[in-house]
């Protein structure tokens, strides 16, 4: 997702509006930022962690600031309702957006996350140790779903996505 965002941004910054800076949100932000850097376009990632997934007003403000004040061309919101509000504001200000876990008709695409990897890690730990929750180790689900799991981008089929897909394919061919 970060690589595609960087390619589409044409050298302009890429924005990320994430939820609270808990381990899962930090790992998603790190992975997205690494993808932006790996694209080799010179794009910077500007990340904002909101205090709450429900901070819709904060999300709106972050979306507007990232586009209008920071010049972000593409924005990914991972903060549930607050991230959706940020994306809405970013689109209104002329930026392109990527969704998280669910598609929006105006997004370039949306990120898929391996939630099943998180659940598999929890169940495996519980069966192996007989412990659940924090007794099983609070960082295990993060490892199971994000460090060794799956984050992928599904591009939308609406107008303009074909060009994005062609650019992403060209980037993948160059990197591969």
């Amino acid at each position: 997702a970060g690589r595609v965002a960087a390619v589409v941004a044409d050298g302009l910054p890429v924005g990320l509006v994430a939820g609270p800076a808990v381990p899962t949100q930090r790992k998603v932000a790190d992975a997205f930022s690494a993808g932006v850097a790996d694209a080799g376009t010179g794009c910077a990632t500007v990340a904002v962690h909101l205090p709450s997934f429900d901070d819709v007003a904060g999300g709106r403000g972050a979306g507007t600031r990232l586009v209008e004040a920071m010049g972000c061309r593409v924005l990914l919101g991972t903060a549930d309702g607050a991230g959706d509000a940020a994306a809405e504001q970013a689109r209104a200000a002329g930026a392109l957006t990527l969704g998280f876990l669910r598609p929006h008709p105006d997004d370039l695409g949306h990120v898929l996350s391996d939630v099943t990897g998180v659940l598999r890690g929890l169940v495996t730990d519980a069966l192996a140790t007989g412990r659940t929750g924090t007794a099983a180790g609070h960082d295990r689900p993060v490892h199971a779903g994000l460090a060794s799991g799956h984050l992928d981008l599904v591009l939308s089929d609406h107008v303009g996505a074909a060009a994005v897909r062609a650019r992403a394919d060209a980037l993948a061919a160059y990197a591969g």
Side-chain angles (χ1 to χ4, degrees):
R3 286 181 180 174
V4 169
V7 168
V8 173
D10 288 326
L12 295 174
V14 174
L16 170 68
V17 177
V22 297
T24 53
Q25 288 293 297
R26 288 194 311 263
K27 284 186 176 282
V28 168
D30 290 347
F32 183 73
S33 297
V36 170
D38 286 348
T41 63
C43 286
T45 303
V46 183
V48 174
H49 283 278
L50 298 174
S52 165
F53 292 103
D54 298 325
D55 184 5
V56 173
R60 285 187 187 119
T64 300
R65 282 189 306 279
L66 285 170
V67 176
E68 294 180 358
M70 304 299 294
C72 292
R73 173 77 174 118
V74 180
L75 183 132
L76 169 65
T78 67
D80 295 340
D84 292 343
E88 182 180 329
Q89 290 300 117
R91 284 190 296 273
L96 302 170
T97 56
L98 298 169
F100 192 74
L101 303 183
R102 60 190 179 278
H104 183 280
D106 296 324
D107 288 339
L108 290 171
H110 65 282
V111 174
L112 297 178
S113 177
D114 179 22
V115 175
T116 59
V118 173
L119 296 175
R120 186 179 308 113
L122 286 171
V123 171
T124 301
D125 282 349
L127 291 173
T129 65
R131 298 178 295 168
T132 60
T134 56
H138 71 280
D139 63 339
R140 178 66 179 158
V142 173
H143 173 73
L146 295 174
S148 66
H150 176 78
L151 288 175
D152 197 8
L153 178 69
V154 177
L155 291 173
S156 300
D157 289 325
H158 61 73
V159 176
V164 173
R165 195 176 310 270
R167 291 171 80 182
D169 288 346
L171 176 66
Y174 173 77

